Amino acid sequence: MMSLTKPSLVKLVQKQFRFKLKNFSGMFSTLITLQLIGLLFSLGATSNFYSGGAIVDLEISYYSADIVFVFTILWGFISAVLMKTKAYREDDFAFVTNRLSSNLSNIAFLFSASIVGGVTAILSGYLLKVIAYFFFNFTPIIQTGLVDTPMELLTGMLSASLFIFLFASAGYLIGTLVHLHKSFAYITPVAVIGLLIIGDRGSSGHLLIEAGNFYFNETSFWLFACKILITAGLLLAGSFVVSQRLEVRT
């Protein structure tokens, strides 16, 4: 006999979320691959300083895993866009679902994926230090800690995760717009570039730099987190509004 019991929204979202963790596992394989590629690029010093004298020659090389973080942000953005493609949307129909439960489970997955990306991106920086220390011919004259304090490590991981989630939220909105009408795949980049040009003309500095300073120059982690979460919330709210215009399928 068919049950007429209507599942609660929370249970439905939980089932879809667990399903997506298993079904979208390939995204995490892509993440690791991209981070390894970024790590290989990072093995080349991002900057060098050389000073020679009669007695001592000093060469300073600066290594950074910033490329890994950039690749991780791109991964989060592209993964969010892909979640709104037809191939991924069809997976929701294995359940009795609606737009709300589908969006909520997608957001829960993106947030969880952002945490994984943020943690692994930060840890890759320490892996780069280990590789540089043991495999490159260094003579350390200024000893620095291989790892930060536990609080600094935790703050770095949370900050990276939040920033990845911000870009994932932007990608989710763009994916939703493209789902509404394919023309948005062309309209969106043109509109973004146009806004940047207009913003630069009306501001004293570069709009992208000012936007970056708004987030990165924040000294308080809690204010930084609030800025990120509010911005991501607005982007996701836009996705919810747009999704209401789409045909409902259950």
Side-chain angles (χ1 to χ4, degrees):
M1 179 181 295
M2 183 179 293
S3 174
L4 297 178
T5 303
K6 184 178 181 180
S8 67
L9 177 63
V10 174
K11 291 183 178 180
L12 185 57
V13 171
Q14 289 176 344
K15 288 182 179 180
Q16 288 181 290
F17 172 67
R18 288 194 294 266
F19 174 78
K20 288 172 182 178
L21 283 178
K22 296 178 180 179
N23 201 45
F24 297 166
S25 58
M27 288 185 177
F28 297 105
S29 300
T30 304
L31 168 65
I32 299 302
T33 302
L34 287 175
Q35 289 183 337
L36 288 175
I37 294 174
L39 193 62
L40 289 176
F41 285 141
S42 300
L43 292 177
T46 57
S47 62
N48 292 279
F49 172 79
Y50 177 81
S51 178
I55 301 176
V56 177
D57 289 333
L58 176 64
E59 182 178 359
I60 299 175
S61 299
Y62 178 74
Y63 292 86
S64 171
D66 290 346
I67 296 178
V68 178
F69 184 57
V70 171
F71 279 12
T72 306
I73 288 177
L74 291 175
W75 167 82
F77 177 84
I78 295 173
S79 296
V81 174
L82 291 176
M83 288 186 71
K84 299 302 294 183
T85 58
K86 184 177 180 180
Y88 286 93
R89 293 198 313 269
E90 294 292 336
D91 293 331
D92 282 338
F93 304 142
F95 302 89
V96 178
T97 183
N98 53 45
R99 294 293 177 191
L100 179 60
S101 63
S102 177
N103 282 323
L104 289 176
S105 60
N106 284 341
I107 292 170
F109 173 81
L110 288 176
F111 188 75
S112 300
S114 298
I115 293 176
V116 174
V119 170
T120 52
I122 294 299
L123 291 179
S124 68
Y126 298 108
L127 178 58
L128 179 62
K129 288 182 181 180
V130 172
I131 294 174
Y133 185 83
F134 286 103
F135 292 95
F136 295 160
N137 186 22
F138 287 152
T139 304
I141 58 174
I142 300 177
Q143 186 64 41
T144 60
L146 184 61
V147 297
D148 298 320
T149 64
M151 183 57 65
E152 290 174 338
L153 179 61
L154 178 61
T155 301
M157 289 179 174
L158 290 175
S159 300
S161 301
L162 287 172
F163 212 75
I164 295 168
F165 182 63
L166 174 63
F167 277 84
S169 300
Y172 194 74
L173 174 59
I174 292 175
T176 306
L177 290 172
V178 174
H179 182 200
L180 178 65
H181 199 285
K182 294 186 182 299
S183 62
F184 279 103
Y186 309 99
I187 295 175
T188 302
V190 173
V192 171
I193 294 174
L195 288 174
L196 291 175
I197 294 175
I198 295 174
D200 286 341
R201 290 178 178 178
S203 61
S204 56
H206 198 286
L207 186 60
L208 283 177
I209 296 177
E210 292 179 358
N213 291 337
F214 177 74
Y215 295 105
F216 284 113
N217 285 355
E218 181 55 64
T219 57
S220 170
F221 169 76
W222 298 110
L223 286 178
F224 168 80
C226 287
K227 290 179 179 180
I228 293 290
L229 291 175
I230 290 174
T231 307
L234 291 174
L235 293 170
L236 293 173
S239 302
F240 274 67
V241 172
V242 174
S243 66
Q244 296 304 313
R245 298 179 59 87
L246 300 171
E247 180 184 358
V248 177
R249 177 178 177 181
T250 57

